[in-house]
Every structure is written in C-alpha cells, then in structure tokens.
C-alpha cells in the first residue's frame, strides 16, 4: 500500500473516531487496527493527521473511545515487548502506537479529570483468557513504562542481535540480560556496538514517548510543596524496571561518547548526515528528567565519603529510591569520571570551535541540557565534583560556560541559560581548588565580545562578569549577588590579576558606590560589601603578585574615601534619589575604559522580537542559596551557623530580606520601589559603620605618600616605575591582623530544585519542535512568552 493511501486510511480512522457518538467495543479489532496495523505513517504524519481540536473533542464528547484507544495502543506495545518484535509488521505496529500515544498523552495530562486515567487498572478489557488476568492488576501507566523499557533492549529492533544464525531461535526476551546490550561503550561497559541507523531511529521514537510520559510534570503549577515525586519517573526509576541500570548507562554513555565533529575530520559532517545527534539530544533530555530529584528534601544519601549511609549500603535507604540518582551518585572509577568529564567538555566546547573554522564542525544545540546534566553530576556525586577540580580539566568546562554567559547577556530569551551557568560557577567556587585552578594562564583565544587582556582564567572570569553587569539586560540584576559571591569565594587564591581586570573591579566599585545606587534599593549596599571583601582578601592573602590591583586601588582611592564619608542626613539622601530619577541608566560604561573587543567576535545580540521563551520561578536570594563557612588554618571549612534573628537593617551581605521583597527592590524602578521602601538615616548608618574599610585605608595611608614621593622625585608620569616599586614593596606588619577567609558555599534547597524543574521542562518544551509535542497544550508549570 502506498504511503498516500496509508495516510488516507489513517485519516479516515481518525475521522471515524471523532464522529462516533457511541462507544466502540475494545474487542472491535477491525476498527482499532486501522490506527496501527496497516499504516506506515511517520511521527510528523501522525501530528498532522490527528489535530489537537479533534483529540479534545473526543476527550469531551466520547471519553470512553479515547480511553479505549489509549488502552489498545498500550496493549499493542505490551504485546510487542512480550513477543520481541520479530516481524517487520510487529515493529511497525509498535512504532505507530508509540507515535499515537506521543500525540495523545499531552491532551490527557492537560485535563485534571483525566490525570488518574493511566494510574487506574482497566478491567479485563479485550483480554481473552484467564491466564493473563493477574496482569490486569497493573495500572496502565506501569504496563506502558515497562513495555517501553523492554522495547529499548529488543534485539534487531533497538539493539544488535547477538545470535549468529537465522536458525537459532530468537533471543528470549524474558531471559535476555540487557546489561550485555548497553548502547555505547563508556561507564561500566567496554564494548562499542556497530552504529545502526535504524536502531537509533527506533530508540529515538521510544525515548520521545518516554519523555512524553514524564511530561505530566508540565501540567502542574510550580509549587515548592509538590516535592519531586513525578509518579511516572518514580516508577520507571524503581526496582520494578529490570532495565534501569543498563538504560541509565546507555543514556549516559550515548551522550558522553558523542563526537559531533564527524570523527575528527573538519567539514566531515557535510558529507555524512549525522543521525546520532537527535538520539543524543533525546537521551540527554530523558536523563535530566529522570534525575529531577530534590536533594534538599530527599532522604537518599549523598556519597561524598562522609555520610553514614552511603548508596553502597545494602540496607534500603528510606523513601522512594530513584535508581538513576542512586547509580549516578555511585559512579566512582577515575576512568569513568574522565570519560564523562571529557565528553561533556567536548560537547560544551563545540559551539566555540565554530568560531575558528566556521561550519567546520556540526554545531550542537543541546548545551542547556548538558549544563543541567553537569550540575546534577556535581550535586549528586561529590567524588565527581572533587575529580573535576583535581586538575585543570575544570577549565574546559569553565571557558564554554563563560562563553555562553557572555554571548547570552543581552538576550532576554536566554535568562535561564545565564542562571544555570552562574549556579554551576557558584557551586564550583565553594571549593578551594577552583580558585587555585583559575591561576592558569589563559591562552586559548576564543573570539569573545570582551576587551583584550593578557592574563589568567581568573582575569577571563572577572572581565566577563564585568561585561554582564555593565552591559547585560535588566532582568539579570538578581544575579549580581551571585556573580560577586563567586569572585569573593575565589579571591583569596588569585595570585596575579591583570591591569585590565583590576580596572574592571574598581569600575564596579565606583558604579555600585554612587549614592543614588546605594540608596535606591534595600539590598544594593551588599554589592559594595562583596567588592570590599574581594579587595581585602587579595591584599591580605595575595599582596605579593597583585601590584596591578594595588596600583588601581591607589589611583581610585577617592572611591574609598567617599564610602568612608558617605552622607547619612535625610536631605542628601533625598537629593541622591532625585538625581536618580533624571538618569535612570543603571550602570554606565563610562570610566571603565572599554578596550577594543577581541578580533573576530560578534557583539552579544538581544533576542529576535517574537522569540518564544518560558517563564521561570524566582530564585532564592544569596543568603538562601549559600551557607557561610570559615577556612581554618589547615584549609578545612567550618560552617558558620547563621546568627540568631538579625534585624534586616544589618549590613552584612549574607543576610537579606525575604526573596519576594528583594525581587521588587532589585527592579530598581525607583518610583515603584520608593512607594514600598525608602532609605532612612538610621538604615544608612546601620551598615555604613560595618563597611570593612580598615585594611584598605591602612594600605593607602602607608603607600600613597611613598608613591607621591616617587612621582615628585623623578617627575614621573610613568606607571612602570610605580608598579616596579609596588611589586617589591611589602606591607608585612603594617596591616591589621588578617581576617579569616569566608566562603559562601552553595547549599541545596527546595527553591533551587523548583527553579531547575521549571527551567529544564521549559528547555525541553521549546526544543521539541519537530514534532511539536507540547505546543498549544495547556501547560501550567510555566508560561510561554514572546520576547
């Protein structure tokens, strides 16, 4: 039968279904088989031939027929899994049912009355004979998920058969050990199967259906209480699924082994179409959804070698155990870590390669999924985090992240990408090793729209952060605290900042310490505290190599004197805010001596008008995101418990007001902010007295007269002579006793768990356009907006 006939027959069946007012018996195979037995329709055909309006009409007007359609389609998948799909016809039926369910499921999820349908059992409908009756006790959802799992390890359909001859009876699906059929070499599996185009396509269809099953989460509004129990994910990742381990391994290895370059030969992808990429993308999306697990509230152990109940224990940990999270947390072999890290770094760097030889490699689009996966790895497996930081390989993750942050800073549709990049850097910055690694010279010249500098990876990080703060869009304001916290965390370890970087830091101080900025929102002074902490850490712990920064502090000393003499009388406060209304520009670029951008770089562009984006929930304030720890003499961390109830007037940067109020203040629209909150003299005095200026004032007191003397004696206007003097100078014994180093470490909390859930599903929603699985359905987890 030609494909045109086949489509026509399928369309006829759909019309019959939507026009029948009477229930069709489940036993009427002649009717139901039209949907899958004789047709050869692609998933795109199914989406075109089954319009949304008709699915909704059947749902409202003949619900029993929609129920039977779903039930029969699941039954066919279960039969295919049981038989092992040996004939072409059986495989076609499985694929057709899979496509049909992918089309229909979102419409079941969007109606709250239908949500329990898949979790109910279907009383012996269409089941002939008694032997299978005990099977009927399984809810439809469970039967469906187990069938998908079996079908993903089906010889000659989704995996290579191990049988040598046709005479051999086919492998028995029940006794088959799927661990021998893992899709790709890597973690826990050494054998790399022959690539097979057809198997990849079949896996993709089934993974798309699996992802659609999991997507029920999109139809529930974001609520921190909702926990992370997606019943579909919970069941699929439980011991009920005998393929959990091989499937987890297959997904992880498929993603991490993928090399989009075309086997290392530039331009190779133009000769061979790469059918692997869609599978890799699908695998990455399924993987991050199965790992959506709120580690803050969960009872499952984290494996960092310190907790009592590690996942290696035989004792069942309390609570529902997600095996995918469990396996991820238990990976521990160095070569496995190396394989994962190299794979993720290779894929994240892929868009950067484009800039050397345009079009030489295939440009992948799933970097957001990769960043979520990297986050999950670091969050659930502390050994992996320590491995990443053990060598300078972490820089292969850092550079792409900074590239994405810089590239997306003007684009409103990529706010989520900005957040996850910053969250990852915040997590890494809580570890001393990260700061140490940043001292490695930066020589890879990825064209980026930033000033040219010569220096280390620390310089790159600070220059990019400066660019985000001074020329990103307004919606990034809530991230400023995070950006500066990262700089504070690494500052005690930075051996030598370049002159470009030193100037950028002082430019930020000047911008953040203007009176209108300090007085226009309740939290703005925190940014000044963070910057002073950075300067103090470097002066106390890394004075020797940082003559550039010391010189910049001396040159811009008026900024520190202004802070020390900040006016606190009501008339001056009022005047500062008046001035603010006339010039609403948040941070000027003037005075920062913007050098020319790197050669070959394109300016960061705003989103094209009309670009779709999904809304995100608010992220917790920095005080909720992090926990303060003190670094002891021997380098170990001691957690500082938050002091009992502090008044909100306190100026210490870590304590803030509730995040809702905070978001409002941060919008910096002084007109609306001043209605809710206005600065008072007492408020300014309360934090002004805590500004940590002693170290810097002492430094200026000692060095400024000496520098002025050099200038007068030698008639100098030449910087190099002064820098030479500062390089050899010492402040030993002249500065106050060094303060203990404070680190603000990321801590998991349900607020960020909810943020990750909305971000991840938003990415998946927007990236699945062919077919558009969720478009135009009534999702509740986020709103779809146009830029």
């Amino acid at each position: 039968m030609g494909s045109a006939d086949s489509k026509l027959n399928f369309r006829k069946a759909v019309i019959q279904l939507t026009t029948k007012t009477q229930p069709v018996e489940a036993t009427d195979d002649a009717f139901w088989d039209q949907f899958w037995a004789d047709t050869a329709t692609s998933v795109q055909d199914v989406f075109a031939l089954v319009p949304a309006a008709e699915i909704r009409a059947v749902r409202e007007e003949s619900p029993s027929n929609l129920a039977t359609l779903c039930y029969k389609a699941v039954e066919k998948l279960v039969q295919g899994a049981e038989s092992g799909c040996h004939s072409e016809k059986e495989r076609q039926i499985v694929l057709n049912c899979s496509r049909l369910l992918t089309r229909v499921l979102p419409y079941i999820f969007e109606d709250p009355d239908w949500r329990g349908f898949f979790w109910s059992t279907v009383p012996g409908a269409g089941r002939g004979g008694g032997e299978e009756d005990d099977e009927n006790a399984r809810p439809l959802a469970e039967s469906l998920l187990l069938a998908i799992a079996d079908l993903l390890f089906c010889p000659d359909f989704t995996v290579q058969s191990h049988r040598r001859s046709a005479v051999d009876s086919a492998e028995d699906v029940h006794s088959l050990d799927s661990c021998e059929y893992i899709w790709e070499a890597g973690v826990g599996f050494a054998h790399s199967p022959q690539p097979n185009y057809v198997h990849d396509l079949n896996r993709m269809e089934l993974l798309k259906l699996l992802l659609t099953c999991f997507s029920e989460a999109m139809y529930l509004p974001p609520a921190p209480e909702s926990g992370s129990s997606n019943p579909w994910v919970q069941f699929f990742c439980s011991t009920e699924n005998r393929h959990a381990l091989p499937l987890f391994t297959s997904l992880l290895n498929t993603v991490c082994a993928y090399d989009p370059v075309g086997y290392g030969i530039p331009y190779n992808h133009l000769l061979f179409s790469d059918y692997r990429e869609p599978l890799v993308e699908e695998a990455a999306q399924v993987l991050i959804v199965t790992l959506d697990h709120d580690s803050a509230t969960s009872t499952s152990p984290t494996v960092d070698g310190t907790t009592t109940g590690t996942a290696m224990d035989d004792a069942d940990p309390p609570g529902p155990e997600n095996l995918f999270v469990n396996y991820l947390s238990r990976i521990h072999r160095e070569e496995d870590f190396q394989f994962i890290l190299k794979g993720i770094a290779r894929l994240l760097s892929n868009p950067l390669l484009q800039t050397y030889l345009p079009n030489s490699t295939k440009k992948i689009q799933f970097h957001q999924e990769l960043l979520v996966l990297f986050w999950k790895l670091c969050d659930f497996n502390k050994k992996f985090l320590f491995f990443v930081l053990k060598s300078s390989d972490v820089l292969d993750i850092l550079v792409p992240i900074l590239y994405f942050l810089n590239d997306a800073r003007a684009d409103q549709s990529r706010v989520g990408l900005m957040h996850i990049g910053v969250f990852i850097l915040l997590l890494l910055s809580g570890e001393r090793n990260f700061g140490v690694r940043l001292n490695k010279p930066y020589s890879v010249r990825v064209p980026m729209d930033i000033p040219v500098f010569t220096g280390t990876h620390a310089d790159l990080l600070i220059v990019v952060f400066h660019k985000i703060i001074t020329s990103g869009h307004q919606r990034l304001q809530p991230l400023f605290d995070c950006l500066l916290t990262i700089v504070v965390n690494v500052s005690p370890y930075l051996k030598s900042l370049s002159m470009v970087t030193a100037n950028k830091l002082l430019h930020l101080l000047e911008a953040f310490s203007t009176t209108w900025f300090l007085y226009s929102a309740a939290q703005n002074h925190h940014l000044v505290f963070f910057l002073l902490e950075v300067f103090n850490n470097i002066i106390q712990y890394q004075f020797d190599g940082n003559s550039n920064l010391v010189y910049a502090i001396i040159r811009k000393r008026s900024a520190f004197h202004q802070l020390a003499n900040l006016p606190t009388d009501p008339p001056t406060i009022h005047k500062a805010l008046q001035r603010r209304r006339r010039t609403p520009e948040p941070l000027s670029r003037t005075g920062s001596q913007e050098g020319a951008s790197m050669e070959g770089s394109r300016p960061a562009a705003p989103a094209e008008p009309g670009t779709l984006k999904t809304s995100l929930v608010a992220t917790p304030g920095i005080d909720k995101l992090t926990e303060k720890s003190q670094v002891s003499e021997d380098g170990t961390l001691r957690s500082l418990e938050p002091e009992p109830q502090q008044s909100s007037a306190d100026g210490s940067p870590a304590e803030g007001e509730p995040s809702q109020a905070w978001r409002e203040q941060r919008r910096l629209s002084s007109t609306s902010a001043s209605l809710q909150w206005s600065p008072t003299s007492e408020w300014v005095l309360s934090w002004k007295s805590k500004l940590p200026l002693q170290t810097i004032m002492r430094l200026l007191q000692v060095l400024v007269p000496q520098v002025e003397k050099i200038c007068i004696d030698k008639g100098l206007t030449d910087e190099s002579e002064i820098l030479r003097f500062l390089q050899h100078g010492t402040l030993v014994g002249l500065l106050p006793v060094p303060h203990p180093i404070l680190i603000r470490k990321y801590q998991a909390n349900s607020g960020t768990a909810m943020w990750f859930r909305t971000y991840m599903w938003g990415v998946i929603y927007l990236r699945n356009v062919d077919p558009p699985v969720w478009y135009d359905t009534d999702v509740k987890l986020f709103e779809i907006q146009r830029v």
Side-chain angles (χ1 to χ4, degrees):
M1 186 165 62
S3 83
D5 296 344
S6 154
K7 279 184 210 176
L8 191 63
N9 288 349
F10 179 75
R11 180 65 193 135
K12 276 186 195 154
V14 174
I15 293 170
Q16 282 178 28
L17 181 71
T18 51
T19 50
K20 278 193 195 293
T21 46
Q22 293 305 308
V24 183
E25 284 299 319
T27 47
D28 184 352
D29 286 338
F31 176 74
W32 296 112
D33 282 352
Q34 305 178 89
F35 289 97
W36 39 74
D38 310 318
T39 55
T41 44
S42 70
V43 68
Q44 285 78 8
D45 293 338
V46 171
F47 272 69
L49 299 171
V50 188
E54 294 182 17
I55 304 174
R56 289 190 177 113
V58 176
R59 186 183 71 195
E60 305 312 321
E61 285 144 39
S62 37
S64 76
N65 287 342
L66 181 61
T68 308
L69 179 74
C70 291
Y71 166 71
K72 295 292 285 184
V74 172
E75 187 184 50
K76 289 291 171 199
L77 290 179
V78 171
Q79 286 167 4
E82 289 283 308
S83 73
C85 282
H86 298 302
S87 67
E88 199 40 59
K89 186 173 167 62
E90 284 177 286
R91 290 172 201 160
Q92 196 56 59
I93 289 176
V94 162
L95 291 173
N96 286 337
C97 290
S98 182
R99 290 160 189 164
L100 194 59
L101 285 167
T102 301
R103 180 61 174 141
V104 172
L105 272 169
Y107 297 91
I108 301 251
F109 293 152
E110 73 176 1
D111 184 338
D113 295 340
W114 275 81
R115 227 164 266 147
F117 169 69
F118 268 88
W119 294 96
S120 57
T121 50
V122 180
R127 282 277 165 102
E131 78 222 317
E132 288 176 317
D133 275 355
D134 55 345
E135 266 300 295
N136 289 336
R138 267 209 191 283
L140 205 49
E142 294 186 4
S143 303
L144 171 57
L145 290 170
L146 293 176
I148 296 173
D150 281 338
L151 288 164
L152 285 168
F153 291 100
C154 190
D156 289 325
F157 180 51
T158 50
V159 292
Q160 217 89 48
S161 170
H162 292 182
R163 294 285 150 142
R164 288 287 161 265
S165 70
V167 186
D168 277 349
S169 65
E171 284 126 305
D172 175 21
V173 280
H174 298 287
S175 60
L176 173 140
D177 175 7
S178 44
C179 286
E180 294 172 11
Y181 291 85
I182 288 170
W183 301 353
E184 186 57 74
V187 175
F189 194 66
H191 167 69
S192 190
Q194 261 323 100
N196 183 312
Y197 176 57
V198 179
H199 293 175
D200 276 2
L201 288 178
N202 294 340
R203 290 165 178 175
M204 233 169 73
E205 301 250 19
L206 289 164
L207 288 178
K208 177 112 26 221
L209 173 57
L210 188 57
L211 195 59
T212 309
C213 291
F214 294 160
S215 72
E216 185 178 17
M218 282 196 214
Y219 297 89
L220 304 169
E225 309 76 67
S226 69
S228 53
S229 56
N230 175 333
W232 296 84
V233 171
Q234 200 178 324
F235 179 80
F236 191 78
C237 298
S238 73
T239 48
E240 295 272 352
N241 178 358
R242 69 186 181 104
H243 303 294
L245 178 61
L247 187 60
F248 167 77
T249 314
S250 294
L251 295 172
L252 183 63
N253 292 353
T254 299
V255 172
C256 295
Y258 176 55
D259 185 355
V261 175
Y263 314 105
I265 307 161
Y267 300 97
N268 200 17
H269 71 289
L270 300 176
L271 307 177
F272 307 100
S273 82
D274 177 0
Y275 55 82
R276 200 84 215 240
E277 189 186 11
L279 173 67
V280 174
E281 227 169 81
E282 204 75 54
Q285 292 178 0
V286 169
L287 198 51
I288 60 178
V289 170
T290 54
L291 295 170
D292 175 21
H293 184 68
D294 185 346
S295 56
T297 59
S298 84
T299 47
S300 77
T302 55
V303 181
D304 55 2
T306 57
T307 42
T308 44
T310 67
M312 296 302 187
D313 288 351
D314 294 334
D316 270 353
E321 186 51 303
N322 176 326
L323 290 179
F324 280 41
V325 173
N326 191 331
Y327 297 141
L328 186 82
S329 68
R330 287 165 61 172
I331 297 171
H332 59 96
R333 288 177 20 210
E334 296 261 316
E335 55 269 44
D336 289 344
F337 287 157
Q338 190 62 32
F339 164 74
I340 294 171
L341 181 58
K342 281 270 183 281
I344 292 178
R346 174 176 62 243
L347 292 170
L348 285 177
S349 311
N350 164 274
L352 287 61
L353 296 173
Q354 298 299 319
T355 41
Y356 297 124
L357 297 168
N359 305 323
S360 64
T361 57
K362 191 182 163 81
K363 185 162 185 177
I364 62 158
Q365 302 295 334
F366 56 98
H367 48 272
Q368 299 192 89
E369 292 92 324
L370 289 165
L371 289 171
V372 175
L373 177 59
F374 182 76
W375 169 269
K376 298 276 178 202
L377 279 155
C378 292
D379 196 20
F380 294 147
N381 190 326
K382 288 294 170 270
K383 288 183 181 148
F384 176 75
L385 176 63
F386 299 146
F387 176 84
V388 168
L389 293 164
K390 207 171 73 174
S391 74
S392 51
D393 287 353
V394 64
L395 303 176
D396 298 336
I397 300 282
L398 170 74
V399 173
I401 288 178
L402 291 174
Y403 172 87
F404 293 129
L405 289 178
N406 188 57
D407 189 55
R409 68 176 193 266
D411 183 340
Q412 294 258 356
S413 70
R414 293 199 282 169
V415 178
L417 171 62
M418 297 293 295
H419 276 76
I420 186 162
V422 172
F423 284 161
I424 290 173
L425 299 183
L426 179 65
L427 180 70
L428 296 174
S429 75
E431 308 295 334
R432 173 183 175 272
N433 261 354
F434 182 64
V436 173
R437 298 285 160 236
L438 290 179
N439 289 309
K440 189 176 177 180
Y442 176 67
S443 50
V444 198
R445 287 286 172 240
V446 178
M448 284 165 84
D449 174 26
I450 53 171
V452 182
F453 66 91
T454 305
T456 65
H457 285 76
D459 292 300
L460 177 68
L461 178 127
I462 293 169
V463 167
V464 168
F465 284 8
H466 173 269
K467 197 84 177 173
I468 293 167
I469 290 170
T470 56
S471 64
H473 56 78
Q474 282 286 343
R475 303 260 319 272
L476 299 179
Q477 287 259 329
L479 279 177
F480 290 3
D481 277 27
C482 265
L483 293 169
L484 291 188
T485 299
I486 294 165
V487 180
V488 174
N489 281 347
V490 301
S491 59
Y493 312 109
L494 304 183
K495 294 196 181 323
S496 158
L497 293 178
S498 73
M499 191 58 93
V500 171
T501 310
N503 286 334
K504 297 294 177 214
L505 285 172
L506 280 136
H507 173 243
L508 289 179
L509 183 78
E510 290 176 309
F512 289 150
S513 55
T514 59
T515 48
W516 70 253
F517 185 78
L518 284 173
Y519 298 160
S520 62
Q523 307 278 347
N524 285 355
H525 62 281
H526 290 180
L527 300 171
V528 170
F529 276 81
F530 284 137
L531 284 166
L532 292 175
E533 212 177 320
V534 170
F535 297 143
N536 289 337
N537 281 342
I538 293 177
I539 292 167
Q540 289 282 19
Y541 292 98
Q542 298 290 348
F543 180 80
D544 287 351
N546 275 297
S547 50
N548 288 330
L549 182 67
V550 174
Y551 178 64
I553 288 173
I554 292 172
R555 275 188 44 228
K556 300 283 187 183
R557 57 190 177 276
S558 59
F560 300 97
H561 291 299
Q562 270 168 3
L563 275 173
N565 302 313
L566 205 61
T568 56
D569 57 298
T572 316
I573 293 175
H574 184 68
K575 209 163 83 193
L577 292 175
Q578 289 304 333
R579 187 169 347 125
R580 152 95 183 102
R581 288 204 183 93
R582 287 198 300 278
T583 57
E585 189 49 43
L587 287 171
S588 70
R589 258 165 249 148
T590 52
S592 114
Q593 291 114 26
E594 272 301 276
S597 273
M598 294 172 70
E599 205 177 326
S601 67
R602 290 193 317 273
E608 293 286 316
T611 306
L612 286 179
K613 68 187 184 78
T614 55
S615 62
L616 292 162
V617 291
T619 49
I622 195 74
D623 53 320
K624 299 271 187 305
L625 267 180
T626 56
E627 177 184 63
K628 279 198 217 167
S629 305
Q630 198 168 304
V631 181
S632 319
E633 294 289 307
D634 60 358
T636 54
L637 286 182
R638 195 166 58 80
S639 167
L640 297 179
E641 287 307 310
E643 294 102 69
Q645 208 45 57
Q646 287 189 307
S647 74
S648 61
D650 173 36
S652 75
E655 265 58 57
E657 280 159 25
S659 69
Q660 208 38 52
W662 141 271
R663 299 207 78 90
E664 286 309 309
Q665 306 296 357
R666 295 309 294 254
R667 290 178 50 194
L668 276 189
S669 46
S670 59
T671 43
S672 71
S674 58
L675 295 175
Q676 308 150 11
W677 175 87
S678 57
T680 63
S681 296
E682 298 73 45
W683 172 76
V684 178
L685 282 164
S686 73
W687 55 260
K688 179 186 166 180
S689 61
K690 297 194 178 74
L691 284 167
L693 287 164
Q694 307 78 337
T695 302
I696 293 169
M697 289 309 189
R698 183 78 185 122
L699 172 134
L700 292 172
Q701 198 187 345
V702 173
L703 292 180
V704 169
Q706 298 180 330
V707 169
E708 282 175 341
K709 186 173 185 314
I710 296 178
C711 295
I712 294 162
D713 291 356
K714 310 220 172 159
L716 273 185
T717 48
D718 177 22
E719 289 186 354
S720 58
E721 183 82 25
I722 299 167
L723 282 168
R724 213 173 1 253
F725 161 73
L726 292 173
Q727 265 159 13
H728 299 299
T730 173
L731 290 175
V732 175
L734 298 172
L735 291 177
V737 178
H739 54 282
I741 297 172
L742 272 189
I743 298 288
R744 291 174 184 82
K745 281 174 85 88
Y746 167 80
Q747 55 169 0
N749 60 73
S750 48
T752 39
M754 195 64 235
W755 185 89
F756 272 98
R757 187 167 312 142
T758 50
Y759 170 59
M760 170 184 81
W761 279 113
V763 169
I764 290 170
Y765 177 98
L766 291 172
R767 302 257 299 105
N768 282 275
V769 287
D770 183 26
V773 183
W774 298 282
Y775 272 53
D776 294 331
T777 60
D778 188 14
V779 294
K780 295 278 193 301
L781 184 61
F782 44 77
E783 287 167 31
I784 291 90
Q785 303 160 337
R786 283 189 189 277
V787 173

